[in-house]
Amino acid sequence: MNYPVWQLEFLGGGFLIAVIAIIHVYIAQFAVGGGLFLVLTEHLAYRRNDQGILDFVRKHTKFFLLLTMVAGALTGVGIWFTISVLNPSATSTLIHTFVFAFGTEWTFFVAEIVSLFIYYYTFDRLTKRNHLTIGWIYFGAAWMSLFVINGIIDFMLTPGAWVENNNFWSGFFNPTFWPALFFRTFFSVIIAGLFGFMTSSFLKDEELRTTMLRYSAKWLLVPFVLFLASSWWYRAALPPHIEVIIFQKMPQLRPFITLFLVCSGLIILGGLVMAIRMPSGLSRTMAAVMLVIGLMYFGAFEFLREGGRRPYIIYDYMYSNAILKNDLDSVAEAGILNTAKWVEHRHVTPANVQAAGRELFDVLCLSCHSIGGPLNDISRQVRMSSPEELNLIFATMGWERPYMPPFAGNEFEKQILINYLNTTIRR
Amino acid sequence: MDAVSLIPTPDALQVHWFWLHLLLTLTTFLHFVAMNIMLGAGFIAFATPFWRGNDVMPLNAHIAKTLPYSIAFTINLGVAPFLFLQVLYGQFLYTSSVLMAVYWLSIVGLLIISYYAVYIYRLIDDKSGLGRLFIGAALLLLLSVSFLFSNNVSIMQMPEVWLKYFSDRTGWLLNSSDPALIPRYLHFIASAVAIGGLAIALYFEIRKRRGATDGEEWIKLGCNWFMVATIINFGFGFWFLGALPENAYDPATLYGKLFFIMIVGSVVTIIPSVAYAQAGRIIPATVWALATVLLMTLARDILRLTYLKPYFSLRELPYEPQFSPFLVFLIAFVGGIYLVGWMLKTVWNAKEVT
């Protein structure tokens, strides 16, 4: 309404953001749990006085640094860039509400990169004690970043009392803040184990390799029970109306729930198998498979969280298409073509009826539907029902179809949009 | 349709705009310094073999060693101004980003590739042969990223070009119609080369003070790059000035007056800086040069206000005070500085020159 719409067709419907977000969050969670993995493993090396383990920590740090510092940090910037072009209104709300939370997170980010660089380059230059302290500073800063960003991410799903009082703290310590924090913390420890498999499996010395693989397996298996408990708590903390929608009224989310459950089993199983002594080639393959399973596991969760937020981008406040819940009635009365700022065809004539239909589609639907792409393709959706049925679908948006916002245009605009869908899109 | 009707409604600030702008200007300055070091040193590492042939060691090895850091810090220090910019100017910035969305998002990919290219450059021993391919690729990508940033700034400051959206909504717009775009860009790049040169001199100066003996030649080389690039940059600067709308430096207006003072101030500070550098006094040269960068950062802020004057004023932004998050941020900021200081001190005290 307020901003121009970027006509992203094939990669739309959430595909672009999903790809970047899942990669980013996976690496970013690794950046937290992996930090703990580094220091605790270094402690272990000193305790056992084992140079082999210390060398392993060093190698693992290099891999860790290259992955988290570059791909992790840049995909993080990537998420910002992406949401700000896909949904500038929501980004603006988040930024204005949480500017100082983001700012605080940034200071932790600075501490993170300084400590990580120092940690990597000073293995034999600093005293053991100072080196470990730097490692702990890294982990502390990384976990604090998680703490802060967790508040902002969960705000979008459960903004809680913020919707009424507009208070920073209500939004930040929202109803799912604590369960999500535990959930993500345990998950990041599990991911540390998964990446631990990866670097361990490359160790040449068989004895050491088996030791480190078993050690990494503990990272995965020990927090697992706690992780499952926290996901249960997470679900229980969801406000009832959101819980019902996610688990009962959105058939399109069911495959992700199944995937999540299946991967839980696979992770446990894989963790146990990795503890068995095996040749290095096999353990490398297994480690790679486990990493992919971890990614799918986490991807399934993120899809649930993002998908479960529909039809909102900020629950009970702003719909995915950036229309505010409170504005819905007044917009519907005045009409989209009259109220949206970035619309060209305010007066519809036979000559521009298709173009006006396209503009309505851009403003109201493009945020969730791709055109011809892999996710939520509108051409496929339209072809699944007859031209007449579209009227019914529009009437039930936001009600029997709770995953879509109510149609926000007026009666005339509805016909123009349906006409556009039945002609240009259906073709 | 006119541009004014397109400008999105801004969201409310939580503290007075002054604080946010202070943070914006301060962090932009830090980002510029890091960016200048990164881009300038990269440029010099690439260019020097063209006339020195193989005789670029150990200079290029040192640049190769530090480039991954300077890229990481440039990005890290870019995050903060990007945040505060969105708070104050989001309605302009988001719009321009949407208009050039494809280019804008490509920045992320370009940066990832250039980082890994720099990393490979570091691993390659032959810095003036095969290595040049990698530093060249990295440099080219970083220069493209800079150009895209200049473009975004240009589009965001000129709502009158936003109407182009209606002829291309797919995110492939650049602002070729802005006469100030190219000189603005060149002015930034030349500044980076100059500051990069000075940074090289400073780097070797510090090593010298800690006992290294290989520095003299490179201190000289850095200072010469600093001087030559600065002289060239006077040219770009005047070109840029000439391409600006006239009211930018109109002394009858407040912004014009301030802008004029900043420009004169930056000339007044860069001259002693170059002179000190030529005299081999690197520390005072650096202090003066930092003053210039700061003044230029301020001039840039004022210039943005001039561009946006017909559409916008900071005082008109909605304001709904909530101070406690600001306080938390300040505490974290101070705590962060303390921690970073402690870590650097610890390393400094432990590290011998290698």
Side-chain angles (χ1 to χ4, degrees):
Chain A
M1 297 294 286
N2 210 356
Y3 284 93
V5 177
W6 176 29
Q7 281 184 350
L8 178 70
E9 302 191 341
F10 185 79
L11 295 178
F15 189 80
L16 185 64
I17 188 74
V19 170
I20 300 183
I22 289 173
I23 295 175
H24 171 72
V25 181
Y26 199 51
I27 300 175
Q29 301 260 41
F30 174 49
V32 178
L36 189 64
F37 186 89
L38 291 177
V39 263
L40 287 185
T41 314
E42 190 186 351
H43 270 295
L44 181 77
Y46 293 145
R47 213 168 42 240
R48 295 203 191 160
N49 209 354
D50 186 330
Q51 189 60 33
I53 297 184
L54 195 63
D55 289 341
F56 166 78
V57 176
R58 213 172 175 162
K59 278 219 187 72
H60 191 72
T61 308
K62 180 170 182 177
F63 165 73
F64 181 83
L65 185 125
L66 276 175
L67 186 68
T68 60
M69 200 95 290
V70 187
L74 275 165
T75 48
V77 175
I79 291 190
W80 260 26
F81 277 28
T82 313
I83 61 166
S84 68
V85 294
L86 286 176
N87 206 322
S89 301
T91 311
S92 178
T93 304
L94 288 181
I95 291 287
H96 284 82
T97 309
F98 293 115
V99 49
F100 292 114
F102 281 114
T104 304
E105 199 213 347
W106 170 73
T107 61
F108 292 123
F109 181 29
V110 177
E112 263 174 77
I113 87 169
V114 174
S115 56
L116 187 55
F117 276 137
I118 294 179
Y119 185 79
Y120 176 57
Y121 286 103
T122 57
F123 265 94
D124 39 27
R125 292 210 197 125
L126 290 183
T127 61
K128 284 179 186 171
R129 200 189 123 100
N130 276 345
H131 193 256
L132 284 168
T133 309
I134 302 270
W136 281 110
I137 290 179
Y138 171 77
F139 171 65
W143 188 77
M144 282 307 293
S145 300
L146 175 71
F147 183 93
V148 177
I149 202 68
N150 176 61
I152 301 173
I153 295 176
D154 290 297
F155 162 83
M156 294 202 280
L157 179 61
T158 55
W162 176 88
V163 174
E164 270 89 49
N165 66 16
N166 203 21
N167 180 296
F168 174 92
W169 299 107
S170 306
F172 189 81
F173 290 110
N174 60 73
T176 52
F177 178 87
W178 294 107
L181 182 65
F182 281 92
F183 178 89
R184 286 178 188 276
T185 303
F186 293 131
F187 200 80
S188 69
V189 175
I190 291 176
I191 298 178
L194 293 176
F195 279 95
F197 285 150
M198 198 70 222
T199 37
S200 303
S201 67
F202 277 86
L203 288 168
K204 299 220 170 50
D205 180 300
E206 191 180 337
E207 205 48 51
L208 184 64
R209 185 172 71 240
T210 308
T211 311
M212 293 323 291
L213 283 174
R214 285 186 184 157
Y215 173 75
S216 305
K218 279 190 216 149
W219 280 77
L220 194 129
L221 298 173
V222 173
F224 202 83
V225 185
L226 296 169
F227 171 69
L228 282 189
S230 62
S231 38
W232 204 254
W233 180 18
Y234 199 161
R235 176 173 173 175
L238 289 173
H241 67 292
I242 303 184
E243 209 254 10
V244 170
I245 289 188
I246 295 181
F247 290 93
Q248 292 169 27
K249 296 207 175 154
M250 289 206 199
Q252 65 273 19
L253 291 184
R254 222 151 279 154
F256 297 103
I257 299 179
T258 312
L259 184 64
F260 187 81
L261 294 175
V262 170
C263 287
S264 299
L266 287 179
I267 290 268
I268 288 283
L269 204 69
L272 292 173
V273 171
M274 290 302 280
I276 302 171
R277 184 180 293 264
M278 55 180 134
S280 70
L282 186 62
S283 64
R284 247 173 258 172
T285 317
M286 275 291 292
V289 171
M290 288 295 286
L291 264 186
V292 175
I293 294 176
L295 187 67
M296 282 176 6
Y297 196 27
F298 198 67
F301 163 72
E302 287 289 311
F303 256 94
L304 276 179
R305 196 183 50 73
E306 290 276 325
R309 213 170 49 215
R310 288 189 192 125
Y312 293 100
I313 186 136
I314 299 171
Y315 222 98
D316 288 332
Y317 176 72
M318 183 188 283
Y319 290 111
S320 295
N321 53 21
I323 293 175
L324 296 185
K325 186 184 175 198
N326 281 341
D327 289 352
L328 191 73
D329 293 338
S330 60
V331 170
E333 196 169 312
I336 295 291
L337 294 176
N338 284 325
T339 43
K341 284 200 157 131
W342 288 78
V343 160
E344 189 179 8
H345 304 286
R346 297 193 192 278
H347 303 288
V348 182
T349 63
N352 69 7
V353 66
Q354 288 294 328
R358 175 70 211 237
E359 285 196 312
L360 287 169
F361 182 79
D362 286 351
V363 172
L364 294 176
C365 323
L366 196 63
S367 53
C368 297
H369 287 283
S370 69
I371 305 183
L375 274 194
N376 217 354
D377 173 15
I378 189 68
S379 358
R380 238 195 57 224
Q381 300 286 16
V382 165
R383 283 191 208 116
M384 280 191 324
S385 30
S386 69
E388 298 73 40
E389 273 167 330
L390 279 183
N391 264 308
L392 176 72
I393 292 178
F394 270 64
T396 50
M397 283 176 178
W399 312 107
E400 284 82 11
R401 290 183 162 76
Y403 40 83
M404 286 194 261
F407 180 72
N410 59 31
E411 197 49 42
F412 177 60
E413 290 170 339
K414 186 191 279 182
Q415 294 317 318
I416 295 182
L417 179 52
I418 289 181
N419 171 56
Y420 170 75
L421 294 175
N422 277 333
T423 51
T424 310
I425 292 292
R426 192 178 285 276
R427 203 180 34 184
Chain B
M1 197 175 326
D2 67 297
V4 178
S5 69
L6 293 177
I7 298 171
T9 319
D11 288 321
L13 309 179
Q14 290 180 347
V15 297
H16 192 274
W17 62 261
F18 172 80
W19 299 111
L20 293 160
H21 221 301
L22 185 70
L23 288 165
L24 171 61
T25 307
L26 187 76
T27 53
T28 305
F29 165 69
L30 295 175
H31 169 64
F32 281 167
V33 173
M35 177 276 277
N36 280 348
I37 295 172
M38 166 193 83
L39 203 58
F43 189 95
I44 293 171
F46 175 69
T48 308
F50 279 101
W51 59 85
R52 290 181 69 109
N54 284 330
D55 180 25
V56 292
M57 293 303 233
L59 171 69
N60 278 28
H62 281 286
I63 296 181
K65 197 172 87 182
T66 49
L67 264 178
Y69 298 102
S70 52
I71 297 185
F73 280 100
T74 303
I75 293 168
N76 179 284
L77 293 171
V79 168
F82 184 57
L83 171 67
F84 297 117
L85 188 68
Q86 291 179 72
V87 180
L88 290 170
Y89 299 97
Q91 66 274 37
F92 301 98
L93 179 70
Y94 295 135
T95 304
S96 52
S97 305
V98 169
L99 266 48
M100 58 178 289
V102 178
Y103 295 108
W104 189 236
L105 295 188
S106 76
I107 288 177
V108 177
L110 297 179
L111 283 177
I112 291 182
I113 300 171
S114 48
Y115 190 99
Y116 288 120
V118 160
Y119 192 78
I120 295 172
Y121 175 64
R122 181 187 161 143
L123 297 179
I124 293 176
D125 283 330
D126 180 11
K127 299 271 187 285
S128 40
L130 181 65
R132 261 155 90 187
L133 202 67
F134 284 90
I135 186 74
L139 180 67
L140 190 72
L141 295 180
L142 293 176
L143 287 173
S144 323
V145 168
S146 321
F147 184 65
L148 297 177
F149 272 105
S150 290
N151 252 286
N152 199 339
V153 169
S154 165
I155 301 178
M156 87 172 253
Q157 291 179 165
M158 298 173 74
E160 54 277 20
V161 305
W162 291 1
L163 291 168
K164 282 194 198 160
Y165 170 75
F166 295 106
S167 51
D168 181 359
R169 306 182 189 208
T170 56
W172 285 95
L173 291 172
L174 291 177
N175 199 8
S176 49
S177 59
D178 177 4
L181 175 64
I182 300 295
R184 166 192 283 272
Y185 173 66
L186 292 176
H187 193 54
F188 266 81
I189 301 303
S191 146
V193 175
I195 299 294
L198 186 59
I200 288 171
L202 182 66
Y203 178 90
F204 283 95
E205 172 76 18
I206 292 173
R207 283 173 54 84
K208 192 171 92 181
R209 291 182 182 208
R210 304 196 83 202
T213 50
D214 60 354
E216 236 17 275
E217 182 181 2
W218 309 112
I219 295 178
K220 194 106 222 102
L221 178 135
C223 289
N224 285 340
W225 273 101
F226 176 46
M227 181 175 72
V228 173
T230 301
I231 292 171
I232 293 176
N233 216 12
F234 269 94
F236 289 147
F238 280 111
W239 178 11
F240 185 20
L241 213 54
L244 291 177
E246 259 166 46
N247 61 343
Y249 42 85
D250 176 3
T253 65
L254 175 66
Y255 293 157
K257 223 178 274 160
L258 286 172
F259 184 71
F260 190 76
I261 294 171
M262 304 296 167
I263 298 291
V264 173
S266 59
V267 173
V268 168
T269 49
I270 199 67
I271 290 173
S273 179
V274 172
Y276 275 122
Q278 286 304 310
R281 298 188 52 197
I282 309 302
I283 306 286
T286 306
V287 174
W288 283 107
L290 287 176
T292 312
V293 176
L294 182 62
L295 284 166
M296 281 280 130
T297 309
L298 287 166
R300 184 176 163 281
D301 281 348
I302 306 279
L303 184 61
R304 175 169 45 214
L305 289 173
T306 307
Y307 267 105
L308 291 177
K309 205 167 172 188
Y311 315 102
F312 166 87
S313 109
L314 288 164
R315 253 170 293 124
E316 282 161 20
L317 286 173
Y319 174 40
E320 291 163 11
Q322 278 193 51
F323 293 112
S324 52
F326 184 39
L327 218 65
V328 171
F329 165 73
L330 288 180
I331 293 169
F333 193 64
V334 173
I337 290 176
Y338 174 79
L339 259 187
V340 169
W342 180 82
M343 287 190 283
L344 293 179
K345 203 184 85 202
T346 307
V347 176
W348 184 263
N349 290 341
K351 189 176 157 187
E352 74 281 21
V353 178
T354 47

